[in-house]
Amino acid sequence: MNKVVSIEEAINHIEDGMSIMIGGFLSGGTPIKLVDALVEKGVKDLTIIANDTGFVDSGIGKLVVNKQVKRVIATHIGTNRETGNQMNAGETEVELVPQGTLAERIRAGGAGLGGILTPTGLGTIVEDGKEKIKVNGEMYILEEALRADVALLSGYIVDKCGNTVYNGSANNFNQVMAPAADLVIIEADNIVESGEIDPNDGQTPGIFIDYIVDGGAN
C-alpha cells in the first residue's frame, strides 16, 4: 500500500481543537515542513504534546507565536519566550512534565495502559492534584497515559508502506509517539520503495503510519 500523499492532503486531516503530538527535541527530529504547513493552515485551539516548544522562529514555536495553541504538555519551554509570555498572561495553559515521565506517559498511551507509577516529582508541585499509590512500602505518583488525535513525526528513511528508520538522536520522541495517536503522519527525509528497508533495521512498523509526506532531503 502506497501511503505517500502531499503535505496539503495530510494537513487537511487536522482540525481546530485537536490534540497533536509532535516529534523532535528542539530542531532535531521535528517535522519542520508539516509544522509549517499547520501554521499556514491556521488551525487553532490545539493541544500540543511535545518535548518542548522549539524557538520563536522555528518548528513548534511558530504555532505558539501564531496563537494557534490552547494547551501545551511538554518538558520545557525555556527556549521559546513567547510560550512563557502566553502562559503568564493566561492565554495558553502549560503542563510541564519531567522528560522521562513524558516519554513513559506517551509509551503507556501507545500500549493501551492507563498510566504509569513513578517516584519522580514526589514532594514537589508535580504531584499536586494527582493520585499517589503505595507499592511495597514505596510511594509513587500515578501519571495518566497520553494519547493524541494526530501525531506529526519525522523519519530518515521511510518506505511507501510506512516502515521507518530514524537517524541517530532524531529518533527521540518520534518512535514512542507513533503508536500513541489515532492518525499518524510522517515527514520522510528519504522515501524508498516497499521492501527496501531491511526488517532488522526498521524502528517503527508501517502499521502505525497512516500518511507519508516528502521532506525533500533527497
Side-chain angles (χ1 to χ4, degrees):
M1 178 182 178
N2 186 350
K3 300 179 179 180
V4 179
V5 298
S6 68
I7 289 181
E8 292 74 20
E9 182 179 346
I11 291 298
N12 279 342
H13 293 277
I14 300 177
E15 301 174 351
D16 292 352
M18 281 188 165
S19 57
I20 304 177
M21 289 181 177
I22 302 178
F25 185 105
L26 298 176
S27 58
T30 297
I32 297 296
K33 290 190 176 182
L34 282 171
V35 175
D36 285 350
L38 203 57
V39 172
E40 184 175 347
K41 185 177 180 182
V43 288
K44 58 185 185 299
D45 296 328
L46 301 174
T47 294
I48 300 298
I49 303 168
N51 177 71
D52 53 78
T53 55
F55 305 95
V56 292
D57 59 352
S58 176
I60 298 170
K62 291 184 177 180
L63 291 168
V64 176
V65 170
N66 211 32
K67 298 196 173 180
Q68 294 172 254
V69 180
K70 177 180 68 176
R71 185 182 183 210
V72 171
I73 302 173
T75 291
H76 69 86
I77 59 172
T79 56
N80 184 349
R81 63 180 180 275
E82 184 60 25
T83 309
N85 291 340
Q86 292 182 22
M87 177 183 69
N88 292 332
E91 299 173 348
T92 303
E93 179 185 349
V94 175
E95 179 184 348
L96 293 175
V97 182
Q99 191 172 75
T101 300
L102 180 63
E104 282 296 284
R105 289 177 68 186
I106 294 168
R107 182 195 61 79
L113 305 178
I116 63 163
L117 296 178
T118 176
T120 304
L122 282 172
T124 74
I125 59 173
V126 171
E127 72 173 30
D128 291 352
K130 297 174 182 176
E131 185 177 354
K132 294 187 283 293
I133 297 174
K134 183 177 285 188
V135 180
N136 294 327
E138 299 291 333
M139 193 64 72
Y140 297 89
I141 300 171
L142 172 60
E143 294 278 8
E144 295 182 357
L146 286 172
R147 287 193 60 83
D149 296 315
V150 180
L152 302 181
L153 310 180
S154 176
Y156 178 54
I157 302 173
V158 184
D159 75 18
K160 291 182 178 179
C161 287
N163 299 300
T164 300
V165 176
Y166 303 101
N167 186 21
S169 63
N171 181 5
N172 50 57
F173 278 86
N174 285 291
Q175 186 174 357
V176 75
M177 286 178 173
D182 297 334
L183 181 77
V184 180
I185 304 168
I186 192 162
E187 179 181 312
D189 290 346
N190 304 278
I191 298 175
V192 300
E193 295 296 327
S194 300
E196 287 191 39
I197 294 176
D198 188 313
N200 293 310
D201 296 332
Q203 292 166 281
T204 291
I207 192 171
F208 292 120
I209 306 299
D210 296 292
Y211 297 106
I212 305 160
V213 302
D214 188 357
N218 54 350

